[in-house]
């Protein structure tokens, strides 16, 4: 395998359909409504420690992933998750339940109702048979904040009410809380009927390069807010973790504070008082927030180099406001959009000044030592 030829699975791991990785099975749990109750979070922490290797990732689709699960412990783990209401009727139903919910919802704004209604619609027998990575966003708090999520259909707050929008479109279709979910499902059917799926794969953005949206998509979308930083917010506190990963003990301790909202920024929104425990990033200037790194070697079987030790070492040299992505291969799982990137190859790392992990490199074959020297002398 070369850096230019990672295996693209075309589907995301689930709980019922885990993905094999270098450290065992990755079991992805999709919180309903983007929120874990205290009981769910505490039990997930316990299950991760007993049936996995105790490491828990936050995904860019606002899910939690248990790592290091074995084939023999998977069934018992699923039984435990089922008692928490986190397991779908089938792997297909689970695969369709790709819904990212704004963590900034508040009681009475209708977001949780939409989440429950959309969840039910996607589990219905007549639900569109959408491809594995197709997803929905409910960005229906006071202002949109989830524009950069990898998804296909949005229900979001517009200048004059709810809007139904397609990925990347500048205009949406006005809908009401009563019609929103039916309209979102209708747009998913439209995607299927227009030939959006080829060989089981397809995304809305690719279809819209060939086909115009229905004519009702005429209302301009509201400007989206920038990605929030760690710290207090109206619904609680946003807290981050090194590389979006925590230990089971950390999740167990957070669960004692109250419900947790899972965000696509690899942060949790803790609804209750933030406990003083190790492993939390609560300072928005922490250099670790400026580096992104996938699992890398040896945790991922596709990785060509370890990633996180290098990212940790380079973090102090990444300027405030900048982002460095260290990717174990050209697939770039941890960050799909262009930033300064180091992509692992069999010879070291390729440096891409601004691009995704698969972009053409500006410099090739750099060792970790060379990169440390390069970064530490940048402003000298
Ligand atoms: S980008 Fe990282 S996590 Fe994704 S396949 Fe490559 S090495 Fe694995």
């Amino acid at each position: 395998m070369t850096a230019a030829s990672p295996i693209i699975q075309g589907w995301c791991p689930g709980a019922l359909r885990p993905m094999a990785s270098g450290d065992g099975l990755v079991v992805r749990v999709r919180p309903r409504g983007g929120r874990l109750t205290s009981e769910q979070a505490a039990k997930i922490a316990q299950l991760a420690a007993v049936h996995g290797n105790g490491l828990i990732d936050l995904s860019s689709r606002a899910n939690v992933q248990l790592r290091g699960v074995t084939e023999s412990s998977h069934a018992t783990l699923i039984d435990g998750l089922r008692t928490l209401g986190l397991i779908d009727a089938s792997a297909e139903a689970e695969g369709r339940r790709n819904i990212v919910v704004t963590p900034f919802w508040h009681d009475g704004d209708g977001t949780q109702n939409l989440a429950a209604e959309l969840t039910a619609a996607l589990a219905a027998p007549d639900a569109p048979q959408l491809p594995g990575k197709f997803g929905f966003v409910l960005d229906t708090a006071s202002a949109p904040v989830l524009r950069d999520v990898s998804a296909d259909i949005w229900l979001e707050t517009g200048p004059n009410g709810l809007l139904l929008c397609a990925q990347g479109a500048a205009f949406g279709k006005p809908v009401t809380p009563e019609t929103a979910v039916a309209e979102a499902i209708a747009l998913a059917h439209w995607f299927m009927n227009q030939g959006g799926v080829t060989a089981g794969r397809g995304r809305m953005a690719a279809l819209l390069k060939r086909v115009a949206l229905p004519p009702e998509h005429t209302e301009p979308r509201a400007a989206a807010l920038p990605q929030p930083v760690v710290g207090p917010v109206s619904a609680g506190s946003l807290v981050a973790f090194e590389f979006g990963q925590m230990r089971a003990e950390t999740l167990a301790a957070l669960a004692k504070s109250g419900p947790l909202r899972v965000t696509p920024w690899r942060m949790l929104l803790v609804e209750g008082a933030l406990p003083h425990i190790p492993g939390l990033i609560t300072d928005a200037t922490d250099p670790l927030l400026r580096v992104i790194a996938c699992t890398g070697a040896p945790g991922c079987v596709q990785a060509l180099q370890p990633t996180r030790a290098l990212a940790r070492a380079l973090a102090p040299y990444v300027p405030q406001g900048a982002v460095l992505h260290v990717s174990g291969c050209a697939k770039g799982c941890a960050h799909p959009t262009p930033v300064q990137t180091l992509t692992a190859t069999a010879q070291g790392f390729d440096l891409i000044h601004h691009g995704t992990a698969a972009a053409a490199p500006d410099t090739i074959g750099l060792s970790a030592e060379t990169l440390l020297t390069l970064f530490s002398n940048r402003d000298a």
Side-chain angles (χ1 to χ4, degrees), residues 6 46 90 103-104 147 158-159 206-207 233 239 257 302 306:
Q46 185 193 3
S90 65
F104 299 134
R147 202 59 65 71
L207 177 67
V233 291
V239 61
S257 295
Q302 298 206 56

Side-chain angles (χ1 to χ4, degrees), residues 156-193:
E156 72 176 29
T157 303
N160 300 304
L162 273 180
L163 282 182
L164 171 70
C165 308
Q167 183 182 21
F171 300 90
K173 175 181 180 179
V175 294
T176 68
E178 292 73 31
T179 64
V181 167
E183 291 279 7
I185 295 294
L187 185 58
H189 279 296
W190 175 88
F191 165 82
M192 302 289 292
N193 295 338

Side-chain angles (χ1 to χ4, degrees), residues 6 294-296 300-304 327-334:
C294 69
T295 301
C300 175
V301 287
Q302 298 206 56
L304 295 157
S327 185
C329 78
K331 197 169 165 186
C333 300

Side-chain angles (χ1 to χ4, degrees), residues 290-316:
R290 304 199 284 271
V291 286
I292 299 166
C294 69
T295 301
C300 175
V301 287
Q302 298 206 56
L304 295 157
Q305 303 285 344
T307 52
R308 290 186 169 168
L310 177 61
R312 199 178 286 119
L314 296 179

